[in-house]
Amino acid sequence: EDKVVQSPLSLVVHEGDTVTLNCSYEVTNFRSLLWYKQEKKAPTFLFMLTSSGIEKKSGRLSSILDKKELSSILNITATQTGDSAIYLCAVATSGSRLTFGEGTQLTVNP
Amino acid sequence: GAGVSQSPSNKVTEKGKDVELRCDPISGHTALYWYRQSLGQGLEFLIYFQGNSAPDKSGLPSDRFSAERTGGSVSTLTIQRTQQEDSAVYLCASSVTRSDTQYFGPGTRLTVL
């Protein structure tokens, strides 16, 4: 059975801090790893990482895929209160469905 | 352009009643997915439609759950004889063919009393 594990499950930081969120996976037929941000109900797409694109960056957010260690990290630098959300990691396999981790609840305090 | 839309946004029903949840995918997206998110849980895959192919129903938790997709666009998820454990947020997503990037709708929060 495919499995995705995220850590920590929750994290509280102060504005300006840098955070690192972790995701590890055990799946068959890995195709890609995706990160989503969920503030209310709809998860919004952040990054997709594949064997041919193991590092992505957008503004203060960046992500790296380590295929050897079967893991990924999501970094957020100079955090802001608007970064408070649940961050979801998901893995796509040959069946096209996404297998999600439980998510990391990030709270950024002013 | 318009994103994925879902209706209703909230639904409260009594145990034993049937409910229908609707999803309107992004125009031109051939793949459509339903997921369920229970309180404090990650998203759980339910069903996947791709074009005219037979749907992948392997995630449906029981035979009380069914879904259809008419005309390759709008999809309806039906839950018959609802139970309290069906209470969750039901999320729909769509994607273009051969892309892993799925775009999610705002979800329907279902509460079964």
Side-chain angles (χ1 to χ4, degrees):
Chain A
E1 182 181 339
D2 294 343
K3 189 175 178 183
V4 177
V5 177
Q6 292 186 244
S7 64
L9 292 182
S10 66
L11 188 56
V12 180
V13 300
H14 292 291
E15 266 192 321
D17 288 350
T18 293
V19 298
T20 299
L21 310 183
N22 301 285
C23 175
S24 63
Y25 58 91
E26 288 180 37
V27 302
T28 54
N29 300 313
F30 172 90
R31 283 220 307 240
S32 62
L33 185 144
L34 297 91
W35 285 96
Y36 286 85
K37 178 182 182 182
Q38 186 176 28
E39 291 180 85
K40 290 183 180 177
K41 283 197 275 187
T44 54
F45 172 74
L46 295 175
F47 299 118
M48 184 175 74
L49 303 157
T50 67
S51 299
S52 57
I54 62 171
E55 189 167 353
K56 294 285 176 72
K57 182 176 171 61
S58 176
R60 296 178 295 102
L61 276 67
S62 62
S63 184
I64 297 173
L65 174 68
D66 187 336
K67 282 212 71 182
K68 184 177 176 185
E69 296 296 327
L70 305 184
S71 65
S72 174
I73 59 171
L74 175 68
N75 279 320
I76 308 175
T77 60
T79 52
Q80 303 170 357
T81 55
D83 295 328
S84 296
I86 297 172
Y87 290 83
L88 297 167
C89 173
V91 173
T93 59
S94 58
S96 292
R97 68 174 67 182
L98 294 179
T99 299
F100 282 83
E102 287 187 44
T104 294
Q105 172 76 63
L106 174 64
T107 302
V108 182
N109 290 324
Chain B
V4 178
S5 61
Q6 292 186 244
S7 62
S9 56
N10 286 285
K11 176 73 177 178
V12 180
T13 190
E14 293 179 349
K15 179 181 171 181
K17 301 283 189 184
D18 297 351
V19 296
E20 284 189 355
L21 313 179
R22 177 189 166 106
C23 171
D24 212 328
I26 294 171
S27 177
H29 281 195
T30 56
L32 186 148
Y33 310 79
W34 284 96
Y35 293 87
R36 176 169 72 174
Q37 188 175 31
S38 302
L39 189 64
Q41 304 284 320
L43 277 70
E44 172 192 7
F45 168 79
L46 296 177
I47 188 168
Y48 158 57
F49 296 90
Q50 172 60 57
N52 295 321
S53 303
D56 175 359
K57 304 180 182 180
S58 59
L60 295 178
S62 78
D63 58 9
R64 296 186 296 104
F65 288 72
S66 62
E68 62 177 24
R69 189 179 185 191
T70 53
S73 182
V74 172
S75 177
T76 302
L77 177 69
T78 301
I79 308 174
Q80 295 179 310
R81 304 180 304 280
T82 51
Q83 304 294 312
Q84 288 182 331
E85 61 262 29
D86 299 335
S87 296
V89 175
Y90 289 82
L91 290 157
C92 174
S94 69
S95 70
V96 297
T97 305
R98 291 188 293 277
S99 170
D100 291 336
T101 304
Q102 297 179 18
Y103 296 91
F104 284 83
T108 294
R109 182 177 300 278
L110 175 66
T111 303
V112 182
L113 302 177

